[in-house]
């Protein structure tokens, strides 16, 4: 059984692992990226044509991370000649205290935003019904998920990383503070660091090596609606229902959505899918949620959330093992900045905000 020496092995070729490989390779690290499935697979959390990009968070830590990510997304577009991030504006509405927190977060960090009356918002976006005032943030928009993963891997390879698909990692063996052996069916890699960016598979691959918080893996199923008029001009949106209200009960607390050019308007519930094992998924839509969504056009999307109890990501390191998981259904927008955080953790051990720690 052969073994190769590299500086860093990144396990997981979804959006996060691909971003880590890019950020590490461009710093001169010798990197190999190992993905268990073929390029473009749809068994994880990073596939499809659309993800919301927004700056609307209650706290400066996430807002700064999204701002940093925006810079990297633009740089990646330059580097690869691809369009990834489209600014459409974003709007949050609903009778829920969280909206106040979002507005305060945007105000505290100087992000442009303003309130619209239900009438003003309804005139602007006739496809959405507004019962309450709406918080508009013009710098939000959408990312093209599949193109982004490809662009990250292309940029990583251009910076010297080796990208290997259909190469499942079977085990990670810690040899010491500065050495690890990463086993695959066709040989092993010896490295100073391993970045395990395997999201829903984290408990299986590194659960015995690092103190992970509880991770809940669910099968989520947003769906596309046919737009009455045109998909152009649709914002990315979030609608939260008043806590304890009948609407909150029948619509699982709230919906999110955005336009997916050529596919319609994507609408989904956040983190309410059935628990699942990422290696034994049925990909069968949950009928109750489908009925609630009343989809009209295409088969629903099936995708995994890996949720932590506080919905904060896990971005931390123990010895030579760096871990990224727990993206709780909202990680995509931050991906290239998360890649930078993981490269910092691997190269010089710089830790991000404590809320991302194993034992926060
Ligand atoms: C329906 C849905 C809607 C979403 N909407 C948004 C949104 O609008 N905005 C937003 O910001 N975020 C959104 N997200 C969240 C976002 O998509 C995820 O946070 C992000 O894709 C996570 O990327 P990842 O690389 O960590 O995970 P994944 O894409 O799941 O990647 C993990 C990879 O590891 C590989 N792997 C696992 N085990 C091994 C092994 N042993 N060996 C080799 N490879 C292995 C897997 O095959 C997989 O490719 C949404 C998620 C879903 C499911």
């Amino acid at each position: 059984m052969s073994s190769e020496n590299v500086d860093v092995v990144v396990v997981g070729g979804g959006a996060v692992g691909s971003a880590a490989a890019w950020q590490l390779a461009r710093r001169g690290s010798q990197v190999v990226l190992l993905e268990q499935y073929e390029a473009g697979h749809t068994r994880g959390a990073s596939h499809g044509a659309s993800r919301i990009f927004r700056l609307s968070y209650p706290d400066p830590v996430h807002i700064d991370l999204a701002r940093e990510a925006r810079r990297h997304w633009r740089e990646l577009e330059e580097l690869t000649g691809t369009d990834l991030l489209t600014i459409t504006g974003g709007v949050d509405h609903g009778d829920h205290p969280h909206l106040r927190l979002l507005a305060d977060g945007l105000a505290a960090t100087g992000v442009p935003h303003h309130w619209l009356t239900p009438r003003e918002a309804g005139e602007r976006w006739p496809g959405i019904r507004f019962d309450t005032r709406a918080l508009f943030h013009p710098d939000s928009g959408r990312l093209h998920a599949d193109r982004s993963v490809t662009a990250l891997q292309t940029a990583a390879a251009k910076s010297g990383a080796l990208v290997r698909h259909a190469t499942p990692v079977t085990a990670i063996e810690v040899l010491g503070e500065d050495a690890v052996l990463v086993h695959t069916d066709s040989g092993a890699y010896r490295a100073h660091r391993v970045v395990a960016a395997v999201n829903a598979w984290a408990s299986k691959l590194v659960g015995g090596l690092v103190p992970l918080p509880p991770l809940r893996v669910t099968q989520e199923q947003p769906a596309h609606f046919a737009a009455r008029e045109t998909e152009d001009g649709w914002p990315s949106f979030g609608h939260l229902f008043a806590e304890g209200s009948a609407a909150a009960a029948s619509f699982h607390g709230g919906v999110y959505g955005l336009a997916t050019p050529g596919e319609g308007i994507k609408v989904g519930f956040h983190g309410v899918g059935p628990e699942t094992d990422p290696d034994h998924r049925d990909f069968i839509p949950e009928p109750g949620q489908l009925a609630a969504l009343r989809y009209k056009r295409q088969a629903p999307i099936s995708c995994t959330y890996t949720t932590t109890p506080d919905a904060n990501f896990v971005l931390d390191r123990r010895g030579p093992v760096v871990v990224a998981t727990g993206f709780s259904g909202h990680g995509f927008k931050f991906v290239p900045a998360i890649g930078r955080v993981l490269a910092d953790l691997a190269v010089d051990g710089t830790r991000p905000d404590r809320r991302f720690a194993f034992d926060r």
Side-chain angles (χ1 to χ4, degrees):
M1 186 77 96
S2 65
S3 89
E4 284 176 54
N5 288 322
V6 293
D7 295 328
V8 187
V9 176
V10 177
V11 187
V16 172
S18 305
W22 175 43
Q23 295 284 14
L24 282 159
R26 68 196 305 214
R27 284 184 204 193
S29 294
Q30 214 193 347
V31 180
V32 62
L33 172 62
L34 303 175
E35 165 52 45
Q36 64 182 341
Y37 298 129
E38 71 288 352
H41 78 87
T42 60
R43 298 184 193 84
S46 297
H47 58 277
S50 62
R51 293 288 189 280
I52 292 174
F53 174 87
R54 60 183 166 87
L55 300 169
S56 54
Y57 276 81
D59 65 284
V61 170
H62 284 95
I63 294 175
D64 290 346
L65 203 62
R67 276 175 161 154
E68 179 192 343
R70 182 174 54 189
R71 290 193 297 277
H72 292 307
W73 285 123
R74 291 302 184 208
E75 202 186 350
L76 191 60
E77 289 179 323
E78 282 281 312
L79 268 174
T80 58
T82 45
D83 293 333
L84 305 173
L85 174 59
T86 306
I87 299 302
T88 61
V91 66
D92 291 285
H93 63 119
D95 178 13
H96 196 288
H98 189 66
L99 263 80
R100 181 74 262 161
L101 298 178
L102 294 180
D104 293 349
L106 295 172
T109 51
V111 175
H113 66 283
H114 60 267
W115 292 100
L116 297 166
T117 64
R119 186 193 172 99
E120 287 166 337
E123 279 165 7
R124 187 159 180 175
W125 302 291
I128 306 176
R129 197 182 66 222
F130 295 90
D131 304 326
T132 68
R133 63 179 182 161
L135 177 65
F136 177 61
H137 28 97
D139 296 340
S140 297
R142 70 167 173 262
L143 285 154
H144 193 295
D146 289 334
R147 275 209 301 264
S148 299
V149 174
T150 305
L152 288 162
Q153 293 181 3
T154 303
K158 268 192 185 163
S159 298
L162 202 57
V163 178
R164 293 218 157 125
H165 288 98
T167 309
V169 166
T170 51
I172 293 173
E173 195 184 338
V174 174
L175 304 176
E177 263 312 294
D178 196 33
V180 62
L181 209 53
V182 179
H183 297 274
T184 74
D185 294 340
S186 52
Y189 294 86
R190 190 186 174 91
H192 296 298
R193 302 283 176 273
V194 60
V195 175
V198 294
N199 210 12
W201 288 264
S203 305
K204 295 188 180 200
L205 190 67
V206 292
L209 298 175
V210 298
L212 289 172
L215 298 173
R216 190 165 168 274
V217 179
T218 54
Q219 182 165 278
E220 302 294 327
Q221 53 181 71
H224 283 103
F225 287 71
R228 261 199 227 117
E229 279 141 35
T230 166
E231 290 144 14
D232 301 343
W234 273 75
S236 60
F237 59 88
H239 185 183
L240 293 174
F241 297 105
E243 283 165 336
S245 67
S250 43
F251 292 110
H252 304 282
V255 296
Y256 68 88
L258 72 165
T260 308
E263 296 185 45
I265 307 304
K266 179 180 175 179
V267 183
F269 302 120
H270 191 53
V272 298
E275 284 206 44
T276 189
D277 172 339
D279 291 316
H280 302 288
R281 292 181 45 209
D282 60 17
F283 298 90
I284 298 170
E286 198 277 321
Q289 289 181 26
L290 266 189
L293 274 179
R294 296 182 187 84
Y295 77 102
K296 290 223 185 324
R297 185 164 190 179
Q298 289 176 352
I301 305 147
S302 186
C303 178
T304 55
Y305 274 26
T306 305
T307 303
T308 56
D310 59 9
N312 277 319
F313 314 148
V314 178
L315 304 171
D316 204 349
R317 174 182 153 183
R318 193 55 53 91
V321 182
V322 175
V323 175
T325 186
F327 293 104
S328 308
H330 67 113
F332 207 100
K333 61 184 76 62
F334 304 104
V335 151
I338 290 171
R340 190 274 304 161
V341 168
L342 297 171
D344 285 353
L345 276 165
V347 172
D348 58 24
T350 309
R351 281 193 155 74
D353 188 275
R354 252 203 75 63
R355 74 192 63 204
F356 303 124
F358 292 131
D359 53 1
R360 55 265 194 127

